[in-house]
Amino acid sequence: MLLTLTTTHQPATDLGHLLIKHPDRVHAFDVPVGTAHVFYPEADEQRCTAALLLDVDPLKLAAARGRGRKSTTAPESFTLGRYVNDRPYAASSLLASALSKVYRSALRGASKERPELAARGIPLEVRVPVLRCRGGADVAERVFGPLGWAVTATAIPLDELHPQWGDSRYVDLTLTGTLRVADALNHLYVLLPVLDDAKHYWVAPDEVDKLLRAGAGWLADHPERGLIIRRYLAHRRALAGTALERLDAQRPPTSRPPTTSWRMRCRPSRRPGRRWPPSAGRRCTPPLSTRAPTGCWTLAAAGVRYWPR
């Protein structure tokens, strides 16, 4: 799988200082599922492109999944899916994990050689030739567009020789905009797994910290933050509720919606004798036995459904 980052800032080779990867070298990094390579297909004063190529070893990927708890959203959850799947070829959470290791300093916005350049936006173009996008190109526009990107997501046909078969679940994604390199990388780190919606590892509680760290400065006010949080956390309601509460605590009080103007979305309890939900027009206050988290209106505001177990 491949991801390229291009700039026309002059001198364009300063991109190597921001990524802390020399344009004249080929860099290789071992990752749990294979090897990540960083190289520069073009590097001159006018235009510079850094490419991240992840070479996935299917056997290592199968072994890594076998050691951990499998996520139910994984697309390869059938008998031979551990060995026959699209993970080595389509951008997914595997690429996001490799990005976080290879560009660790760049994600933090650290650059000893060009600190002033790291702190300001430069013209960037990001391309992911094959990206599994659940929901189609519209979802890519909804999550990247509000962040300042011009989004071009072209659906890839199932078979070019048989156009009547329609489009596949994959898109060719191109993003253009003027942003800090650190912001661009953090957007990709969070949103590539969101579009794929099938993480390759078990989502533990510490994923909330990773999400909030990478989403600092943009996730709290994103119009699709509910979708982003649910998918990034593999639809684990408890973790999504924690993330939403922590995000809400970071927002200034004047920007929070009033608690009296929201209604909790819930479905009837399966337990007999329970009157749930309350009649229309009343505010939904769940019984204590449901152990609903505080700030239920926040969950509803972000589009996350919560109901008693």
Side-chain angles (χ1 to χ4, degrees), residues 54-292:
L54 179 59
D55 184 11
V56 176
D57 184 335
L59 295 180
K60 287 186 177 181
L61 176 60
R65 292 190 62 85
R67 289 193 298 268
R69 184 175 177 182
K70 186 183 292 187
S71 172
T72 57
T73 60
E76 63 270 22
S77 54
F78 57 96
T79 304
L80 295 178
R82 294 174 60 185
Y83 304 97
V84 182
N85 54 69
D86 64 356
R87 301 294 87 180
Y89 314 106
S92 63
S93 59
L94 294 172
L95 185 60
S97 296
L99 183 148
S100 68
K101 178 176 182 179
V102 171
Y103 295 141
R104 181 172 302 177
S105 297
L107 280 162
R108 299 196 307 265
S111 176
K112 294 182 179 179
E113 301 294 333
R114 300 290 189 275
E116 69 289 344
L117 186 60
R120 63 184 179 90
I122 61 174
L124 296 173
E125 177 182 303
V126 176
R127 183 166 181 231
V128 186
V130 182
L131 170 64
R132 185 178 183 268
C133 188
R134 184 183 178 192
D138 176 66
V139 177
E141 171 66 36
R142 286 161 50 193
V143 298
F144 279 108
L147 300 176
W149 293 105
V151 182
T152 302
T154 305
I156 299 175
L158 278 173
D159 192 323
E160 295 180 352
L161 300 180
H162 300 278
Q164 68 275 17
W165 290 358
D167 296 328
S168 68
R169 68 184 69 180
Y170 307 97
V171 298
D172 182 347
L173 179 68
T174 302
L175 308 173
T176 55
T178 301
L179 294 90
R180 294 194 313 141
V181 169
D183 292 337
L185 294 177
N186 278 290
H187 295 167
L188 293 168
Y189 173 73
V190 173
L191 297 179
L192 289 181
V194 167
L195 294 177
D196 178 42
D197 198 19
K199 281 204 166 184
H200 69 282
Y201 57 88
W202 174 248
V203 176
D206 64 343
E207 290 295 303
V208 175
D209 296 325
K210 296 179 184 178
L211 173 62
L212 298 185
R213 182 167 56 249
W218 61 271
L219 181 57
D221 296 320
H222 197 290
E224 295 291 342
R225 68 172 187 163
L227 172 72
I228 293 171
I229 291 173
R230 287 197 308 272
R231 289 192 175 191
Y232 185 89
L233 298 174
H235 301 273
R236 296 190 60 188
R237 295 193 302 271
L239 296 183
T242 300
L244 286 166
E245 288 182 344
R246 291 177 59 180
L247 274 179
D248 182 69
Q250 298 173 5
R251 302 174 69 185
T254 56
S255 66
R256 301 178 189 175
T259 59
T260 57
S261 65
W262 296 95
R263 300 293 183 270
M264 187 178 185
R265 302 176 191 172
C266 47
R267 69 182 182 187
S269 173
R270 296 179 180 176
R271 301 177 186 176
R274 297 287 295 277
R275 299 183 61 186
W276 191 268
S279 59
R282 298 181 185 176
R283 186 181 178 197
C284 181
T285 305
L288 293 177
S289 61
T290 65
R291 300 182 181 179

